[in-house]
Amino acid sequence: MTTQAISEAQLHALADGVLPEDQRAAIDAHLRAHPEDAARVDAWREQNQQLRALFDPVLEETFPPALLQAAAPPAANQAWYSHAMQAAAAIVLVFAGGMGGWLLRGDGGDMRVASASPLTLARSAAIAHAVYTPEVRHPVEVGVEQEAHLVQWLSKRLGSTLRPPVLSPLGYHLIGGRLLPGDGDGPVAQFMYEEGTGKRLTLYVAKERAGKQETAFRYTQEKDLSVFYWIDGQLGYALSASLPKQALGKIADAVYTQLEQPR
C-alpha cells in the first residue's frame, strides 16, 4: 500500500490546531514513524505559546491619551482610521500566533491548507496594507510625482526590474510606494493605489528564493480585507484591498496581465 506523503503545511496545521480531523490519523502515524518531525511540531507549538505570551498583553494595552491625540488624523478621517486600525489589530492577532497552516478559502468555496511560503507572502502583505493605507499625510514614502525615481529605487533594492501596473482604466491611480523589510529574503516593495472615493489598494512585491515553483492565483480573506497572491519566478505578488472577491479578482487579472507582458 502506498503511503501518502505528509506535507510541511499539514505539520504546521497540526501545530496551529487547524488540521482537518480526517487527516489526523495519518499525521499521527507519520509522527510516530518520524520522531524528528514530531520534535519540529512540538517546537512550533512551543513557539506559538511564546508568541501569544509576548503579543497578547500588548494587544490588550491602552494607548496613552497624549500619544493618541498626537497621532490622531483629521476629524473627517477618524472613523476610517479607527476601522483600519481595528482591522490591523485583528490581522496581527490572527497571524502573530504562528498560523502557518491558516485555512484559505478556495475559488470553489472549499477550505484547504496552503503551503507555508505563499501564505507568509499573503500575511505580510495584509499586515502592511492594514498599517499604511489609513495614513493621511504619509501613506507612501515616495509619491507618484517621482514615479521614475521610485521605480528605479525599488527595482535596484529588490534586484529585479519592477513595473507598477496602470490601473486607471479600473478607477485606481498610483499614488506612490515604499520600501519595506522582508521576511528573510531581502526587502520588499509596496505600491499604493487610490480611487476617487478614497479607497486604496496595495500591490506587495517580494523577492522569492531561487528555484521556487510558480503558483496560480490564490485568495484569502480576513474580515473585509481581501488578498489575491501568486508567485511568478523570483518575485511574489500580493494585491490587497477591502473589496469583494469578484471586484478585487478583476483588478488582479489586470495586474497579472500587465506583469506578464514582455519587458
Side-chain angles (χ1 to χ4, degrees):
M1 181 179 66
T2 301
T3 303
Q4 183 178 1
I6 302 300
S7 70
E8 185 162 319
Q10 289 174 296
L11 298 180
H12 274 288
L14 176 64
D16 296 334
V18 295
L19 182 73
E21 191 60 35
D22 60 359
Q23 299 180 24
R24 185 60 184 261
I27 301 296
D28 287 344
H30 173 83
L31 295 182
R32 287 193 295 269
H34 299 82
E36 68 281 3
D37 282 347
R40 292 169 66 201
V41 171
D42 288 341
W44 291 335
R45 284 171 170 159
E46 176 64 23
Q47 182 185 54
N48 289 350
Q49 293 177 358
Q50 292 175 357
L51 286 170
R52 291 190 179 98
L54 178 64
F55 285 108
D56 284 355
V58 176
L59 292 172
E60 294 171 0
E61 287 182 359
T62 301
F63 283 100
L67 179 61
L68 287 175
Q69 184 175 1
N77 296 288
Q78 285 182 355
W80 176 37
Y81 184 86
S82 175
H83 175 75
M85 293 310 295
Q86 289 174 0
I91 292 170
V92 171
L93 181 61
V94 169
F95 289 124
M99 302 294 284
W102 194 43
L103 293 177
L104 303 183
R105 294 161 177 79
D107 290 340
D110 60 317
M111 303 293 285
R112 64 184 184 275
V113 177
S115 62
S117 181
L119 181 60
T120 299
L121 174 71
R123 176 197 65 190
S124 300
I127 294 175
H129 177 93
V131 168
Y132 291 109
T133 55
E135 290 288 338
V136 177
R137 294 186 179 181
H138 305 290
V140 296
E141 192 171 2
V142 179
V144 69
E145 64 277 3
Q146 301 181 60
E147 181 177 353
H149 164 68
L150 171 68
V151 173
Q152 183 180 19
W153 171 52
L154 294 178
S155 295
K156 182 178 180 180
R157 292 303 306 271
L158 268 69
S160 296
T161 301
L162 304 182
R163 296 180 301 165
V166 177
L167 302 179
S168 51
L170 298 172
Y172 284 85
H173 300 270
L174 181 69
I175 63 173
R178 66 173 63 243
L179 186 71
L180 298 172
D183 294 319
D185 292 336
V188 301
Q190 183 193 61
F191 295 101
M192 189 177 297
Y193 296 78
E194 186 176 83
E195 53 96 71
T197 66
K199 288 184 178 180
R200 291 170 173 172
L201 63 82
T202 55
L203 177 63
Y204 185 94
V205 186
K207 192 70 175 284
E208 295 295 332
R209 295 184 182 91
K212 186 154 294 179
Q213 295 182 351
E214 295 184 2
T215 64
F217 271 162
R218 295 186 181 182
Y219 172 78
T220 187
Q221 181 177 0
E222 173 60 29
K223 295 187 179 296
D224 64 346
L225 181 59
S226 298
V227 183
F228 274 95
Y229 60 105
W230 66 97
I231 296 174
D232 187 2
Q234 293 187 340
L235 293 176
Y237 301 92
L239 188 70
S240 308
S242 295
L243 291 172
K245 179 180 179 180
Q246 184 175 3
L248 186 60
K250 181 179 179 181
I251 300 173
D253 285 337
V255 170
Y256 183 83
T257 298
Q258 292 187 44
L259 293 175
E260 284 297 294
Q261 291 176 353
R263 298 182 185 276

